[in-house]
C-alpha cells in the first residue's frame, strides 16, 4: 500500500499536482496520469472546452467511499461565469476524457474552495436549487428616506424603496509630495478616467435608477451646477423665515448641525459640527413653517439638498415643498434616518435673484404621527466649487470633479471612520478607501465602518454599491480590451459573510449579473466580439470594504483607442448605463425573490397640433426594446412648461394622445413625454412647443430634425491614430462632462512615460473644468419664440412624425426645418454599421419625399444647419438621389464644407435682408449653446440667389428661392445666432420673404 501511494505521489508531483487519498484509490492506477494529461491539454488550450487563461487543476482528491473524484482548480478557473449549461459541459467533458472505467465516479470541480455549480448566481438557476445563504435576510426596513409625493406614478416592480450607493472612478486630488492638485489618471483621448465614468453616471445611470424608484447616494458631488447657495437656520438674514401660528415655538435641538463657516475648509473642519438645528412638534395640520429663500446667482437647474438631525423621536414623513420655476414639488423625508449630512431631494429650475413665489423651500410641521419631532437645519441649492483647502489652495474645480474624500468631509462624515484613514497624509489612498467606508456609515451598525462596525451611522439600508471605473491596457489589433468585473468574497478581516450572516458569494452574483448584462448588450448592439474579461475575486478596496453587496466595474480601457471610440459615443453611454441599471434590478429581484420589470425606452414620433379653440393636442408612439421583453409602456407622463419657466410634475395619461385645454393665447407651451410601466419611467422625449394666437391665425410648423448625438471624428493608421475634432467634434447629449481638451499626440509608437506624458492619446487640459453644451433637444422653443414675436401661431413636430406620415406638411403655409448638426454618422464598429446602418441622415429619403411633395404644392420652407449641404452633396455624383433633391428642390449646392471658423455673416443683397445686414453665430465651446464647428458654404443653383455671405471667406452662407414655392436655406444653425433680438429680426425677414409678400 505504501509503495502504491509513493508511486502515485511521485507521478502527481511530476505533474505539479497532488492527490489526497480519502479512502482508497480506484482500481485503475492510470487515473493520476489521465488527470495529469488533462491538465497539460488545458495548459496548451487543447482540451475539448476552453477555460480562462492560466487555469489549472491544482489538487485531486479521490473519495472511493462516496465514489467522487474532487478536482480543485486555481482562482483563474473562477474567472469565467458559471451557468447550468457550461457546468454540465465541464463535468461531461471531464467524464468523457476519463473514460468508461471511471464513469461510476461523480466529478466535483471546485474553485475558490466552492463547487463550481455553487458559483452559479441565483438569478440564472433553473434546475439547481437557489442558495438561500446568499439571499438577504428578512428584516425591518424603514420607509424610503425621500419620497417625491408629487410624482403621478410609482413603479411597483422596479427599485422603489431600494437604496443604491454608486460612484464614478477617481477625481481631482491633492498630492502632498508634489504639492499639487492633479488627476489620479492621465488625460487620454480627450478625457481622463477621473471624469470619463462621470459622463456615464451623472447624465444616465443615476436618472435611470431614480426613474425606477431608487434613492441613489454618491460620495462625490452629483450636481454639475457650479453655482451654490446655502440657506441655514444659523444665518442672521431674511433668507430663513420661521412661522408658528400656535406658538409652539421652534427650539434649538440637541446635537450639532451644519454651519457654513468661512470656507475654504482646513482638513480637520467638519461643517456639521459647528452649527445648530431647530425642532418643533408635529401636528395633524400645518401650524408652523420654516422657509428657505435663496438668492440664485443665475438662471439654471439646481439640485436641492436638505439637512436635519435624525432620531427615533423624529417623524418619518417630514413635509418639504420646493417652489421652482415650474411650480412646486412636494417631498416627504424620513427624518428617523439620514441626519447630519446632505440629503438629495431633486433637481429643479430656478430663476436668478430672490423670487419667493418660485424660488424657496418650505418645511412644515404636518405629519401622520402628531407629537413627534421635526428638525430643520440647512438647505443647499447647486453643487458649487471645491472648498477644501490643501496647503493654502483649493482644486479650483467644481465639486463634482473632485474626489470623494473632499465631498465626504463637506458632507459631515466622521473623519477617522470614513475619509481620513491615513492621518491626513495620503489623499490618494483616502479617496479610494473612503468610498466603501462611506457605504458602511450610510448603513450603520452592524454594517458600520470597518474600524467600528457598531457605529450607528445613518441607518439607510444600502442594497448594493457600484464603483464605476475604466482600466488601462492596449491592443495592437482592432478589438476591445473589454469589461472586467471585480468582487471580493472575503473582506479585509477574512470574513466570508456579511455582518448579518449573509454569504458574501452575493458579491460574485452581483458582479456576474452586471458583467453578463453589459457584455451581452454590447455584443448585441455594438461589437459582437466585445471582450468579456475576468470575473475576478480580488481584494480591491471598493469591492472588499463595503459590508453590503458590492462590485468594482472596469468597463473598458481608457488607454486603448478602439475602446475609446465607444467611450466617447453618447449612444454607447446610454446603453451601457441601461445595462448596468437592468443588472441591478435583476440582482435585487433575485435577492428578494420578487418579480421585476424594466422601464421603457423613450417615446418617438412626437408631434403637436392646434384645434380651432387653441387647444394643444399631443401625439406620440411607443418605442419597444428589442433587448428587454418586459420594457413595454403601460402609461405615459406628459410634462408641461409655460414660457421660459421649468417643467411641472407631469400628468399621467393612458393613451398616446393628450389634449391641453387650459391654454392661453400668445403663451408658448412646451412639452416632453415619458413612458411608464411597473418598472419605472423612461427618459424623456425631445421637447416640442406650440403657441396659438386664436382662431384666425393659421399656425406655421417647426420640424425638429436635429436628433444627432455623436463622438468626435476618429482616424486610425499605422502612424496617426486618434480623434480629430477639427474635422468633426461630434455632438454631446445635452452636455459633456468629461472633455479635457483636444488630442495632441497621434503617434501610436509613443508609449506611456508618466501621467503627464502618457504617449498616444495625450490631450490638452484647457476645457477640463468646463461643461460643454451639446444637443438640448429643445430648439423648437427657440425658433418658436421668434415666430411668435413676429405675430404667428406655431406647432412643432419631430422629423420622424413627418416622414412616417403622422404630420401632413400641406396643412401649413410655412415650415421651419431645424437641422442643427444633423448629418449621416457611422457607428464605431463595422458590426453596428452593417446591422443598423448609419444614423442621423439630415434628409432621409422618406423625408425628401414629403418635402418634395410639399414644395410641389407651393409650400415654403426655411432650413438651417451646419451640414445641410455636406450631407446631401459630399462625395456624391450628379445623379445621386441626394444631389438631385438638393439641386432641384432645396435649390442649393455645396460650395465647401468647413467654410469658416468665425461665425460672422453679412447680407450681400437686399433680396431677403437689408444689404449689409449682419449676423453673429456661435463657434466657441461653452455651457449654454453648442458650437458650430463646420458650417457649410452654399451655392446658387436652378434659380436661387445668394443672400448671405461669411465675412471670413466671402463664400455663401445662405440662399433663397421664390418662384413656384419658397426656400430660404442657411449653412449654419439659426438657433446658434447669438442674440435673441437678432434671431427675431432674422425670422421677420424670412417670414416676410416667404409668406407675407
Amino acid at each position: 500500500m505504501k509503495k502504491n501511494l509513493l508511486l502515485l505521489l511521485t507521478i502527481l508531483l511530476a505533474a505539479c499536482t497532488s492527490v489526497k487519498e480519502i479512502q482508497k484509490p480506484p482500481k485503475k492506477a492510470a487515473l493520476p496520469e489521465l488527470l495529469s494529461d488533462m491538465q497539460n491539454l488545458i495548459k496548451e488550450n487543447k482540451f475539448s472546452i476552453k477555460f480562462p487563461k492560466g487555469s489549472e487543476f491544482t489538487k485531486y482528491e479521490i473519495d472511493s467511499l462516496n465514489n467522487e473524484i474532487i478536482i480543485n482548480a486555481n482562482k483563474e478557473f473562477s474567472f469565467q461565469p458559471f451557468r447550468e449549461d457550461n457546468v454540465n459541459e465541464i463535468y461531461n467533458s471531464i467524464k468523457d476524457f476519463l473514460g468508461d472505467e471511471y464513469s461510476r465516479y461523480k466529478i466535483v470541480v471546485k474553485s475558490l474552495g466552492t463547487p463550481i455549480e455553487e458559483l452559479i448566481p441565483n438569478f440564472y438557476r433553473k434546475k439547481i436549487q437557489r442558495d438561500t445563504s446568499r439571499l438577504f435576510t428578512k428584516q425591518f426596513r424603514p420607509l424610503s428616506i425621500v419620497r417625491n409625493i408629487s410624482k403621478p406614478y410609482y413603479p411597483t416592480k422596479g427599485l422603489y424603496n431600494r437604496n443604491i450607493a454608486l460612484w464614478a472612478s477617481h477625481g481631482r486630488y491633492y498630492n502632498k509630495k508634489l504639492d499639487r492638485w492633479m488627476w489620479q489618471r492621465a488625460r487620454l483621448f480627450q478625457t481622463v478616467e477621473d471624469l470619463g465614468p462621470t459622463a456615464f453616471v451623472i447624465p444616465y445611470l443615476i436618472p435611470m435608477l431614480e426613474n425606477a424608484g431608487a434613492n441613489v447616494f454618491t460620495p462625490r458631488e452629483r450636481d454639475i451646477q457650479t453655482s451654490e447657495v446655502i440657506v441655514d437656520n444659523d444665518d442672521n438674514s431674511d433668507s430663513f423665515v420661521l412661522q408658528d401660528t400656535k406658538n409652539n415655538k421652534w427650539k434649538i435641538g440637541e446635537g450639532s448641525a451644519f454651519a457654513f463657516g468661512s470656507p475654504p475648509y482646513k482638513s480637520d473642519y467638519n461643517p456639521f459640527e459647528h452649527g445648530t438645528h431647530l425642532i418643533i412638534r408635529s401636528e395633524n395640520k400645518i401650524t408652523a413653517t420654516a422657509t428657505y429663500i435663496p438668492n440664485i446667482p443665475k438662471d439654471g437647474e439646481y439640485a436641492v439638498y436638505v439637512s436635519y438631525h435624525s432620531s427615533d423621536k423624529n417623524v418619518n414623513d417630514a413635509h418639504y415643498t420646493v417652489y421652482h420655476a415650474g411650480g412646486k414639488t412636494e417631498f416627504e423625508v424620513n427624518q428617523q434616518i439620514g441626519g447630519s449630512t446632505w440629503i438629495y431631494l431633486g433637481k429643479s429650475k430656478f430663476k436668478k435673484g430672490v423670487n419667493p413665489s418660485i424660488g424657496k423651500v418650505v418645511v412644515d410641521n404636518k405629519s401622520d404621527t402628531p407629537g413627534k419631532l421635526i428638525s430643520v437645519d440647512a438647505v443647499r441649492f447647486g453643487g458649487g466649487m471645491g472648498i477644501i483647502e490643501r496647503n493654502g489652495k483649493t482644486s479650483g474645480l467644481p465639486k463634482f470633479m473632485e474626489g470623494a474624500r473632499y465631498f465626504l468631509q463637506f458632507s459631515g462624515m466622521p473623519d477617522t471612520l470614513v475619509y481620513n484613514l491615513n492621518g491626513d497624509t495620503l489623499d490618494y489612498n483616502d479617496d479610494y478607501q473612503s468610498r466603501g467606508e462611506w457605504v458602511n456609515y450610510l448603513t450603520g451598525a452592524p454594517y458600520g465602518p470597518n474600524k467600528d462596525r457598531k457605529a450607528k451611522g445613518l441607518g439607510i439600508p444600502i442594497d448594493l454599491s457600484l464603483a464605476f471605473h475604466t482600466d488601462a491596457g492596449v491592443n495592437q489589433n482592432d478589438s476591445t480590451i473589454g469589461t472586467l468585473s471585480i468582487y471580493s468574497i472575503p473582506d479585509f478581516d477574512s470574513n466570508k459573510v456579511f455582518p448579518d450572516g449573509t454569504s458574501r458569494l452575493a458579491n460574485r452574483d452581483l458582479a456576474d449579473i452586471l458583467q453578463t448584462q453589459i457584455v451581452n448588450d454590447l455584443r448585441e448592439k455594438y461589437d459582437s466580439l466585445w471582450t468579456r474579461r475576468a470575473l475576478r475575486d480580488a481584494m480591491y478596496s471598493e469591492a472588499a470594504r463595503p459590508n453590503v453587496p458590492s462590485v468594482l466595474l472596469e468597463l473598458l480601457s481608457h488607454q486603448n483607442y478602439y475602446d475609446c471610440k465607444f467611450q466617447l459615443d453618447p449612444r454607447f453611454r446610454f446603453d451601457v448605463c441601461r445595462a448596468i441599471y437592468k443588472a441591478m434590478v435583476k440582482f435585487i429581484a433575485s435577492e428578494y425573490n420578487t418579480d421585476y420589470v424594466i422601464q421603457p425606452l423613450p417615446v418617438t414620433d412626437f408631434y403637436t397640433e392646434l384645434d380651432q379653440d387653441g387647444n394643444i393636442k399631443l401625439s406620440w408612439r411607443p418605442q419597444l426594446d428589442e433587448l428587454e421583453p418586459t420594457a413595454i409602456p403601460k402609461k405615459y407622463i406628459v410634462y408641461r412648461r409655460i414660457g421660459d419657466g421649468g417643467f411641472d410634475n407631469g400628468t399621467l395619461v393612458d393613451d398616446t394622445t393628450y389634449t391641453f385645454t387650459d391654454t392661453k393665447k400668445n403663451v408658448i407651451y412646451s412639452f416632453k413625454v415619458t413612458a411608464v410601466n411597473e418598472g419605472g419611467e423612461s427618459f424623456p422625449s425631445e421637447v416640442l412647443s406650440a403657441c396659438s394666437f386664436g382662431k384666425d391665425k393659421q399656425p406655421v410648423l417647426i420640424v425638429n430634425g436635429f436628433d444627432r448625438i455623436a463622438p468626435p471624428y476618429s482616424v486610425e493608421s499605422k502612424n496617426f491614430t486618434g480623434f480629430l475634432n477639427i474635422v468633426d467634434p461630434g455632438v454631446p447629449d445635452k452636455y459633456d462632462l468629461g472633455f479635457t481638451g483636444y488630442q495632441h499626440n497621434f503617434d501610436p509608437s509613443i508609449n506611456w512615460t508618466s501621467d503627464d506624458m502618457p504617449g498616444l492619446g495625450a490631450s490638452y487640459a484647457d476645457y477640463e473644468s468646463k461643461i460643454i453644451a451639446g444637443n438640448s433637444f429643445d430648439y423648437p422653443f427657440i425658433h418658436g419664440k421668434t415666430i411668435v414675436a413676429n405675430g404667428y401661431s406655431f406647432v412643432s413636430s419631430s422629423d420622424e412624425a413627418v416622414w412616417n406620415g403622422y404630420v401632413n406638411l400641406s396643412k401649413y403655409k410655412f415650415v421651419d426645418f431645424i437641422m442643427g448638426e444633423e448629418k449621416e454618422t457611422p457607428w464605431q464598429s463595422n458590426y453596428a454599421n452593417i446591422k443598423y446602418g448609419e444614423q442621423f441622415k439630415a434628409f432621409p429619403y422618406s423625408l425628401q419625399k414629403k418635402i418634395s411633395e410639399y414644395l410641389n404644392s407651393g409650400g415654403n420652407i426655411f432650413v438651417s444647419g451646419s451640414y445641410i449641404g455636406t450631407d446631401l452633396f459630399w462625395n456624391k455624383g450628379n445623379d445621386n438621389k441626394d444631389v438631385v433633391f438638393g439641386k432641384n428642390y432645396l435649390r442649393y449646392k455645396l460650395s465647401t464644407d468647413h467654410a469658416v471658423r468665425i461665425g460672422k455673416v453679412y447680407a450681400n443683397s437686399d433680396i431677403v435682408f437689408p444689404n449689409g445686414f449682419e449676423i453673429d453665430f456661435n463657434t466657441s465651446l461653452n455651457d449654454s449653446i453648442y458650437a458650430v464647428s463646420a458650417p457649410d458654404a452654399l451655392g446658387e443653383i436652378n434659380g436661387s440667389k445668394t443672400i448671405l455671405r461669411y465675412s471670413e471667406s466671402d463664400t455663401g452662407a445662405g440662399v433663397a428661392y421664390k418662384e413656384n414655392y419658397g426656400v430660404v436655406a442657411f449653412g449654419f444653425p439659426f438657433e446658434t445666432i447669438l442674440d435673441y433680438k437678432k434671431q427675431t429680426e432674422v425670422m421677420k425677414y424670412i417670414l416676410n420673404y416667404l409668406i407675407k409678400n
Side-chain angles (χ1 to χ4, degrees):
M1 182 66 178
K2 289 183 178 180
K3 290 181 179 180
N4 289 337
L5 285 174
L6 287 172
L7 176 62
L8 289 173
L9 288 172
T10 300
I11 294 170
L12 292 172
L13 286 172
C16 298
T17 61
S18 65
V19 172
K20 175 183 177 183
E21 182 184 11
I22 298 177
Q23 291 295 324
K24 59 181 181 180
K27 293 180 180 179
K28 297 294 181 181
L31 178 61
E33 289 91 335
L34 285 171
L35 294 174
S36 178
D37 290 343
M38 183 172 65
Q39 175 62 60
N40 289 332
L41 290 173
I42 291 171
K43 284 184 176 180
E44 296 170 6
N45 200 24
K46 295 179 180 178
F47 193 56
S48 58
I49 55 177
K50 307 304 179 188
F51 298 129
K53 185 178 180 180
S55 294
E56 291 184 9
F57 291 155
T58 57
K59 184 178 180 182
Y60 311 116
E61 299 177 7
I62 305 164
D63 185 349
S64 297
L65 182 63
N66 295 310
N67 287 331
E68 287 186 344
I69 298 174
I70 303 169
I71 303 173
N72 288 282
N74 63 358
K75 178 179 282 191
E76 285 76 6
F77 192 82
S78 73
F79 288 177
Q80 62 189 308
F82 293 108
R83 303 290 183 268
E84 292 179 2
D85 289 345
N86 75 326
V87 166
N88 289 334
E89 186 181 11
I90 291 169
Y91 283 141
N92 290 335
S93 297
I94 294 174
K95 283 185 177 182
D96 290 345
F97 185 85
L98 295 180
D100 292 339
E101 297 181 56
Y102 299 98
S103 60
R104 68 187 179 90
Y105 287 88
K106 176 183 177 183
I107 307 297
V108 178
V109 179
K110 291 184 176 182
S111 186
L112 305 176
T114 303
I116 58 175
E117 57 268 29
E118 291 303 313
L119 297 179
I120 302 172
N122 279 323
F123 180 77
Y124 296 115
R125 297 189 185 194
K126 298 176 182 177
K127 297 179 181 178
I128 298 177
Q129 186 175 358
R130 289 162 58 86
D131 177 12
T132 58
S133 73
R134 69 184 81 172
L135 301 181
F136 297 153
T137 57
K138 292 188 180 295
Q139 56 184 316
F140 169 75
R141 190 177 187 90
L143 279 177
S144 180
I145 188 169
V146 174
R147 305 177 298 280
N148 182 339
I149 60 176
S150 293
K151 273 186 174 292
Y153 189 84
Y154 277 94
T156 56
K157 295 182 179 179
L159 294 173
Y160 183 68
N161 202 15
R162 301 298 176 201
N163 301 304
I164 293 174
L166 66 90
W167 53 89
S169 63
H170 306 283
R172 196 78 155 192
Y173 85 106
Y174 176 73
N175 185 310
K176 187 173 184 178
K177 182 178 180 180
L178 299 177
D179 187 25
R180 172 187 173 193
W181 284 89
M182 58 191 296
W183 297 121
Q184 297 182 39
R185 295 295 183 266
R187 299 177 187 90
L188 287 167
F189 297 115
Q190 305 194 146
T191 189
V192 61
E193 188 192 350
D194 307 65
L195 294 179
T198 302
F200 288 77
V201 168
I202 290 180
Y204 299 110
L205 183 53
I206 291 176
M208 286 178 187
L209 296 170
E210 290 178 336
N211 286 353
N215 284 123
V216 178
F217 301 86
T218 63
R220 293 179 66 180
E221 173 61 62
R222 60 178 289 176
D223 188 13
I224 64 174
Q225 173 59 254
T226 57
S227 296
E228 179 184 51
V229 180
I230 298 177
V231 182
D232 186 20
N233 69 288
D234 293 311
D235 297 339
N236 294 317
S237 71
D238 295 334
S239 296
F240 180 71
V241 180
L242 293 176
Q243 289 184 330
D244 179 12
T245 60
K246 289 185 67 175
N247 200 29
N248 285 332
K249 294 184 179 178
W250 290 91
K251 300 176 182 178
I252 295 178
E254 296 180 359
S256 60
F258 179 83
F260 194 49
S262 300
Y265 297 156
K266 301 289 187 181
S267 61
D268 60 350
Y269 184 86
N270 183 340
F272 280 86
E273 293 180 349
H274 294 272
T276 66
H277 69 105
L278 301 178
I279 57 173
I280 200 167
R281 292 288 176 182
S282 60
E283 302 275 357
N284 55 17
K285 62 181 180 179
I286 298 175
T287 63
T289 60
T291 302
Y292 300 79
I293 307 171
N295 187 353
I296 299 295
K298 63 181 180 180
D299 289 3
E301 298 278 337
Y302 290 76
V304 177
Y305 297 86
V306 300
S307 65
Y308 52 86
H309 189 273
S310 62
S311 74
D312 293 340
K313 298 177 182 179
N314 285 49
V315 300
N316 61 12
D317 60 350
H319 185 222
Y320 291 75
T321 304
V322 179
Y323 293 81
H324 51 84
K328 66 178 183 179
T329 305
E330 298 178 74
F331 300 89
E332 287 182 348
V333 176
N334 184 355
Q335 288 197 348
Q336 295 177 354
I337 57 178
S340 301
T341 190
W342 297 115
I343 298 298
Y344 175 81
L345 295 188
K347 183 177 286 188
S348 298
K349 183 175 181 179
F350 292 91
K351 293 285 192 176
K352 179 180 179 179
V354 177
N355 301 283
S357 62
I358 58 170
K360 64 184 176 184
V361 173
V362 178
V363 188
D364 63 61
N365 68 331
K366 182 180 178 181
S367 170
D368 288 339
T369 54
K372 283 185 168 284
L373 296 179
I374 293 170
S375 166
V376 297
D377 185 14
V379 174
R380 180 163 69 97
F381 302 81
M385 303 294 288
I387 58 173
I388 305 300
E389 174 190 300
R390 287 289 183 270
N391 196 23
K393 54 192 174 187
T394 64
S395 72
L397 295 182
K399 283 196 190 79
F400 80 88
M401 294 184 178
E402 294 183 337
R405 189 242 182 270
Y406 312 107
F407 184 68
L408 294 178
Q409 178 180 344
F410 177 62
S411 299
M413 296 297 105
D415 52 1
T416 56
L417 289 183
V418 175
Y419 68 85
N420 187 0
L421 304 175
N422 295 279
D424 201 32
T425 59
L426 295 170
D427 283 18
Y428 181 96
N429 293 33
D430 281 346
D431 189 54
Y432 71 79
Q433 292 171 4
S434 67
R435 299 164 189 238
E437 300 301 350
W438 162 79
V439 172
N440 298 333
Y441 189 76
L442 286 178
T443 308
Y447 309 88
N450 289 302
K451 285 187 176 181
D452 181 10
R453 292 197 175 179
K454 295 181 180 179
K456 183 180 179 182
L458 300 186
I460 303 169
I462 300 299
D463 291 285
L464 63 85
S465 73
L466 167 69
F468 191 135
H469 289 257
T470 55
D471 207 351
V474 176
N475 271 341
Q476 298 304 320
N477 51 29
D478 197 21
S479 63
T480 59
I481 296 294
T483 302
L484 169 68
S485 197
I486 299 172
Y487 65 96
S488 180
I489 294 177
D491 64 15
F492 281 109
D493 293 325
S494 299
N495 297 312
K496 293 188 177 182
V497 296
F498 293 116
D500 66 353
T502 301
S503 170
R504 286 178 62 97
L505 278 170
N507 284 349
R508 181 181 169 97
D509 282 12
L510 173 59
D512 190 349
I513 294 169
L514 178 71
Q515 186 185 41
T516 299
Q517 190 72 62
I518 292 172
V519 171
N520 286 353
D521 284 7
L522 296 185
R523 286 177 177 175
E524 182 66 28
K525 293 199 70 172
Y526 289 91
D527 184 343
S528 60
L529 300 178
W530 187 270
T531 305
R532 177 167 187 154
R533 296 172 65 193
L535 180 60
R536 183 185 296 171
D537 178 18
M539 294 292 288
Y540 282 69
S541 184
E542 291 162 291
R545 285 182 184 273
N547 293 323
V548 301
S550 55
V551 60
L552 191 161
L553 171 68
E554 302 278 12
L555 175 65
L556 46 72
S557 172
H558 54 253
Q559 190 180 14
N560 193 49
Y561 162 73
Y562 187 64
D563 290 59
C564 289
K565 287 176 68 177
F566 297 100
Q567 182 188 15
L568 298 183
D569 191 334
R571 297 168 292 183
F572 178 83
R573 293 173 179 175
F574 175 90
D575 287 321
V576 163
C577 291
R578 186 164 170 86
I580 295 171
Y581 143 69
K582 289 191 293 186
M584 290 181 175
V585 171
K586 293 174 181 180
F587 171 74
I588 289 175
S590 71
E591 289 298 295
Y592 287 99
N593 196 25
T594 58
D595 294 334
Y596 72 87
V597 171
I598 298 302
Q599 63 194 221
L601 289 172
V603 304
T604 185
D605 293 88
F606 185 24
Y607 61 100
T608 67
E609 299 172 285
L610 289 176
D611 66 17
Q612 290 185 347
D613 297 320
N615 300 318
I616 302 174
K617 180 182 178 182
L618 314 178
S619 303
W620 59 88
R621 295 292 177 270
Q623 180 182 184
L624 299 182
D625 186 349
E626 295 179 354
L627 301 184
E628 181 52 56
T630 69
I632 300 173
K634 299 296 184 182
K635 295 178 184 291
Y636 303 90
I637 300 176
V638 179
Y639 294 90
R640 182 171 68 166
R641 180 181 69 199
I642 301 174
D644 63 352
F647 282 97
D648 64 12
N649 297 306
T651 301
L652 185 67
V653 302
D654 295 327
D655 203 354
T656 56
T657 62
Y658 187 76
T659 300
F660 282 93
T661 58
D662 60 336
T663 56
K664 297 179 181 179
K665 294 180 182 180
N666 306 351
V667 175
I668 300 177
Y669 296 92
S670 302
F671 310 93
K672 58 184 179 181
V673 178
T674 61
V676 295
N677 62 16
E678 298 94 330
E681 184 177 1
S682 75
F683 270 36
S685 67
E686 62 197 292
V687 179
L688 296 182
S689 303
C691 177
S692 173
F693 273 83
K695 296 180 181 180
D696 57 336
K697 289 287 188 178
Q698 180 69 21
V700 301
L701 173 65
I702 300 172
V703 177
N704 182 32
F706 183 17
D707 305 309
R708 182 171 175 246
I709 51 175
Y713 179 82
S714 57
V715 61
E716 182 177 17
S717 68
K718 182 178 179 181
N719 299 315
F720 192 92
T721 295
F723 298 94
L724 287 174
N725 290 51
I726 195 169
V727 176
D728 178 9
V731 183
D733 184 358
K734 297 184 178 63
Y735 49 80
D736 191 1
L737 306 178
F739 182 63
T740 61
Y742 294 149
Q743 181 179 340
H744 60 77
N745 187 317
F746 295 87
D747 188 345
S749 69
I750 305 298
N751 296 320
W752 182 93
T753 301
S754 68
D755 280 357
D756 290 324
M757 191 180 291
L760 174 64
S763 302
Y764 289 112
D766 50 330
Y767 282 100
E768 64 189 18
S769 64
K770 299 176 176 62
I771 297 164
I772 306 302
N775 189 345
S776 72
F777 299 92
D778 195 8
Y779 301 113
F781 176 71
I782 295 176
H783 286 235
K785 279 198 302 182
T786 68
I787 289 171
V788 169
N790 283 290
Y792 291 86
S793 304
F794 78 93
V795 293
S796 55
S797 167
S798 66
D799 53 352
E800 295 88 357
V802 174
W803 74 57
N804 286 326
Y806 297 117
V807 174
N808 184 358
L809 297 181
S810 65
K811 291 171 55 179
Y812 305 97
K813 59 183 178 181
F814 171 82
V815 181
D816 175 2
F817 281 93
I818 301 171
M819 288 303 177
E821 298 269 290
E822 197 82 351
K823 75 167 181 176
E824 200 162 7
T825 304
W827 295 84
Q828 303 309 307
S829 69
N830 290 331
Y831 167 81
N833 281 327
I834 293 170
K835 184 169 184 177
Y836 300 107
E838 295 190 354
Q839 276 193 308
F840 308 125
K841 185 179 176 68
F843 298 98
Y845 297 130
S846 53
L847 182 59
Q848 290 182 25
K849 183 175 184 294
K850 299 296 183 182
I851 293 174
S852 301
E853 292 171 351
Y854 174 65
L855 293 178
N856 282 336
S857 67
N860 300 282
I861 71 169
F862 167 47
V863 57
S864 65
S866 298
Y867 301 108
I868 63 170
T870 300
D871 211 49
L872 288 174
F873 290 91
W874 182 261
N875 202 28
K876 296 174 184 177
N878 288 332
D879 58 349
N880 183 277
K881 289 175 65 175
D882 289 344
V883 173
V884 171
F885 171 73
K887 289 181 177 180
N888 294 346
Y889 287 95
L890 298 183
R891 305 284 177 151
Y892 60 75
K893 63 182 180 180
L894 176 67
S895 294
T896 183
D897 66 323
H898 292 77
V900 293
R901 298 192 67 181
I902 300 171
K904 290 189 175 294
V905 174
Y906 72 94
N908 62 296
S909 71
D910 60 0
I911 296 173
V912 177
F913 304 99
N915 206 343
F917 183 80
E918 295 182 342
I919 301 171
D920 291 339
F921 63 90
N922 180 57
T923 57
S924 301
L925 296 176
N926 62 82
D927 63 357
S928 58
I929 185 71
Y930 67 92
V932 180
S933 60
D936 277 344
L938 306 178
E940 309 172 348
I941 196 166
N942 292 335
S944 65
K945 299 296 182 183
T946 299
I947 58 172
L948 295 171
R949 293 191 182 277
Y950 295 111
S951 301
E952 179 182 331
S953 63
D954 227 30
T955 52
V959 300
Y961 172 83
K962 191 75 168 76
E963 290 186 22
N964 302 322
Y965 56 80
V967 175
V968 172
F970 286 2
F972 60 93
F974 172 85
E975 61 274 8
T976 63
I977 295 174
L978 289 173
D979 180 69
Y980 165 67
K981 291 182 179 179
K982 180 65 72 171
Q983 289 176 345
T984 302
E985 197 175 5
V986 169
M987 186 61 74
K988 177 186 71 174
Y989 289 120
I990 293 171
L991 290 167
N992 287 346
Y993 174 74
L994 289 176
I995 61 176
K996 199 166 185 178
N997 293 336

